């Protein structure tokens, strides 16, 4: 089981249990913040199912219609997850919060609500910890924000942001119920619900922007581009890289296309051997580079 799959399964298990507990809590207390969080957990549970479906779809073999395979299915379903989070999670919370502020109703059995929220925080913390643990090898020395912005793996950033949003949302719900209990004014429950809606909307927008970029095609990172150029430059008979184009066909599969200048007047067999050597060096340095096209040419820098 891959790191992203382990993170998804942990999040799915936690969210399914949390959603059931929150709905029970809403039925007992009438808290709109609990209801918004329950719907949020349902959305997250469904989202994790979509991520698993996307991983399965991406494993389909290449065919005539899709000669480079279905790797980008994972990007597509991650984009759908962001849309679900925005429409089902954020919009519902904003509507419910607006309704509760305009027509406040008392929160009954606040102790039950606070107990359920506390248990949910523990479960969400476990899911978030799992996502962080599985992401660290890919994150390396970069910041978490940079990892989310530059990762070519779509599932881990999605789970990380969903879990982080869930923890913050639970904190807002707990604050709303607590303020309602302290002040006796149920409007705070509605305010917390609106805060949850704004939070989920912001996370959804970030995810949609990132998944859109991956879906239309992102190239190698700066470090990966340097690795490819270094491997090519180290190949015998290669004088320089004329141009290089890369694109991720999926989270673990990169297309590399380059025009390389070879030494003039070398035999055709040597040209073929140099290309094979260059491909082997690229794959050894960057295993994700699975599809490589190299075009040999002469160095015409000083021509004309």
């Amino acid at each position: 089981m891959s790191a992203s799959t382990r993170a998804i399964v942990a999040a799915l298990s936690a969210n399914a249990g949390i959603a059931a507990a929150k709905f029970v809590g809403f039925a007992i207390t009438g808290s709109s913040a609990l209801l918004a969080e329950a719907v949020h957990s349902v959305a997250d549970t469904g989202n994790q199912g979509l991520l698993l479906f996307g991983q399965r779809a991406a494993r389909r073999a290449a065919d005539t219609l899709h000669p480079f395979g279905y790797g980008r299915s994972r990007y597509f379903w991650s984009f759908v997850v962001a849309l679900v989070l925005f429409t089902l999670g954020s919009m519902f919370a904003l509507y419910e919060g607006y309704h509760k502020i305009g027509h406040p109703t008392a929160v009954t059995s606040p102790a039950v609500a606070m107990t359920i929220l506390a248990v949910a925080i523990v479960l969400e913390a476990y899911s978030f910890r799992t996502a962080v643990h599985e992401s660290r090898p890919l994150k390396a020395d970069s910041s978490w924000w940079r990892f989310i912005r530059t990762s070519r793996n779509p599932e881990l950033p999605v789970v990380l942001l969903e879990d982080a949003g869930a923890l913050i949302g639970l904190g807002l719900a707990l604050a709303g119920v607590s303020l309602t209990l302290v002040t006796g004014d149920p409007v705070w429950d509605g305010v917390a619900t609106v805060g949850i809606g704004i939070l989920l909307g912001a996370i959804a927008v970030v995810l949609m922007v990132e998944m859109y970029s991956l879906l239309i095609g992102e190239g190698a990172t700066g470090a990966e581009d340097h690795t490819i150029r270094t491997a090519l430059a180290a190949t015998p008979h290669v004088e320089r890289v004329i141009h290089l184009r890369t694109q991720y066909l999926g989270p673990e599969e990169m297309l590399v296309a380059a025009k390389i200048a070879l030494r003039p007047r070398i035999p055709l067999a040597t040209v073929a051997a140099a290309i094979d050597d260059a491909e082997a060096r690229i794959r050894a340095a960057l295993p994700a580079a699975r599809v490589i096209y190299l075009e040999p040419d002469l160095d015409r820098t000083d021509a004309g």
Side-chain angles (χ1 to χ4, degrees):
M1 186 182 294
S2 67
S4 56
T5 302
R6 285 192 294 269
I8 294 169
V9 170
L12 189 151
S13 302
N15 281 310
I18 292 169
K22 288 174 181 175
F23 274 119
V24 171
F26 165 71
I28 296 173
T29 66
S31 168
S32 65
L34 260 179
L35 177 59
E37 274 298 305
V39 173
H40 175 198
S41 293
V42 169
D44 282 353
T45 303
N47 285 344
Q48 272 97 54
L50 290 175
L51 293 177
L52 290 174
F53 179 81
Q55 287 189 333
R56 180 178 179 181
R59 289 194 291 269
R60 292 175 59 185
D63 53 33
T64 304
L65 188 60
H66 298 90
F68 290 110
Y70 291 81
R72 286 186 183 170
S73 294
R74 291 167 65 179
Y75 299 150
F76 171 77
W77 288 107
S78 296
F79 185 81
V80 172
V81 162
L83 289 177
V84 171
L85 187 64
F86 183 80
T87 55
L88 185 58
S90 176
M91 292 296 101
F92 178 83
L94 289 172
Y95 167 78
E96 186 65 23
Y98 173 78
H99 182 267
K100 188 65 177 281
I101 292 173
H103 304 85
T105 55
V107 175
T108 59
S109 303
V112 173
M114 296 179 74
T115 300
I116 290 174
L117 288 171
V119 172
I121 287 174
V122 172
L123 293 176
E124 284 289 3
Y126 161 75
S127 175
F128 182 65
R129 180 179 177 275
T130 301
V132 168
H133 175 74
E134 300 297 343
S135 300
R136 283 193 186 279
L138 294 177
K139 180 180 101 54
D141 297 328
S142 62
S143 66
W144 285 108
W145 178 245
R146 183 170 179 78
F147 169 70
I148 291 170
R149 293 297 308 274
T150 61
S151 176
R152 297 329 190 238
N153 181 306
E155 295 91 2
L156 288 175
V158 169
V159 175
L160 277 169
L161 283 179
E162 279 191 345
D163 286 350
L167 283 171
I168 297 172
L170 287 167
L172 290 172
L174 190 60
V177 173
S178 299
L179 286 171
T180 297
L181 179 62
V182 171
T183 64
D185 187 354
V187 75
W188 288 109
D189 188 41
V191 171
T193 306
V194 170
I196 292 169
I198 294 172
L199 171 69
L200 296 182
I203 291 174
V205 169
V206 170
L207 287 176
M208 281 190 281
V209 170
E210 294 306 315
M211 294 309 125
Y212 167 77
S213 180
L214 289 169
L215 191 58
I216 64 174
E218 288 190 0
T221 63
E224 290 168 339
D225 184 275
H226 177 72
T227 297
I228 295 170
R229 291 179 183 276
T230 300
L232 288 171
T235 305
H237 306 294
V238 175
E239 295 192 328
R240 71 182 184 94
V241 178
I242 299 174
H243 65 69
L244 173 65
R245 301 288 185 271
T246 60
Q247 189 172 99
Y248 269 89
L249 303 174
E252 288 92 27
E253 185 174 17
M254 183 195 298
L255 167 67
V256 177
K259 178 178 282 192
I260 53 177
L262 300 180
R263 293 176 182 171
R265 294 183 295 278
I266 60 175
L268 179 60
T270 304
V271 172
I275 291 175
D276 291 342
D277 186 15
E279 290 181 357
R281 289 172 183 268
I282 293 172
R283 289 193 176 97
L286 195 63
R290 298 181 185 177
V291 182
I292 303 175
Y293 298 107
L294 299 179
E295 179 183 352
D297 203 344
L298 296 177
D299 192 345
R300 296 184 175 88
T301 303
D302 300 324

